[in-house]
Amino acid sequence: TAKLMQQCAEQRLREQRSVEQLVQQVTEAQKNIKLVQMKLLQGRRQTVQEVMEESRGLLQRSAEAAEDQQRQRCQLVSQLRALETLPVRKGKLVDLTQ
């Protein structure tokens, strides 16, 4: 009976150790999951930030291009108005050499 009691105690000890190891593995897995989730979240945030910066740059470039185009149109309009104010000869030119 002493041997059986000792074997039973040893078996309980082994089972208790295996349960403790299993609990440890589960807690480590949960920690790893949290770390992976945090890394994924940081990666997504960084991607969003990069996309936002890129879109800001594109919007700025398009605004600058539109501003340049508007400036060129204003210059052309002012040149046309300047040409319109020039005196125009309405009569025929007389060629005295004929």
Side-chain angles (χ1 to χ4, degrees), residues 50-70:
E50 289 173 358
V51 167
M52 291 292 286
E53 288 175 5
E54 187 175 332
S55 66
R56 283 182 197 148
L58 289 173
L59 284 173
Q60 186 177 5
R61 284 188 220 132
S62 66
E64 289 173 358
E67 190 177 315
D68 287 342
Q69 190 176 18
Q70 185 66 27

Side-chain angles (χ1 to χ4, degrees), residues 6-84:
Q6 187 178 1
Q7 287 176 356
C8 186
E10 287 176 1
Q11 187 176 359
R12 283 185 199 157
L13 234 152
R14 279 187 243 130
E15 287 176 0
Q16 187 179 5
R17 287 180 184 162
S18 66
V19 167
E20 288 174 0
Q21 285 179 346
L22 185 61
V23 167
Q24 230 176 7
Q25 289 174 355
V26 168
T27 55
E28 286 178 19
Q30 288 176 345
K31 288 178 184 177
N32 288 339
I33 288 172
K34 288 181 182 180
L35 288 174
V36 168
Q37 285 176 341
M38 290 297 292
K39 286 181 182 178
L40 182 64
L41 185 61
Q42 287 175 351
R44 287 181 180 170
R45 285 181 182 167
Q46 185 177 1
T47 304
V48 166
Q49 187 177 8
E50 289 173 358
V51 167
M52 291 292 286
E53 288 175 5
E54 187 175 332
S55 66
R56 283 182 197 148
L58 289 173
L59 284 173
Q60 186 177 5
R61 284 188 220 132
S62 66
E64 289 173 358
E67 190 177 315
D68 287 342
Q69 190 176 18
Q70 185 66 27
R71 209 175 299 127
Q72 288 175 355
R73 286 180 182 169
C74 287
Q75 286 177 352
L76 286 174
V77 166
S78 65
Q79 288 175 1
L80 284 174
R81 287 183 181 161
L83 287 174
E84 288 175 352

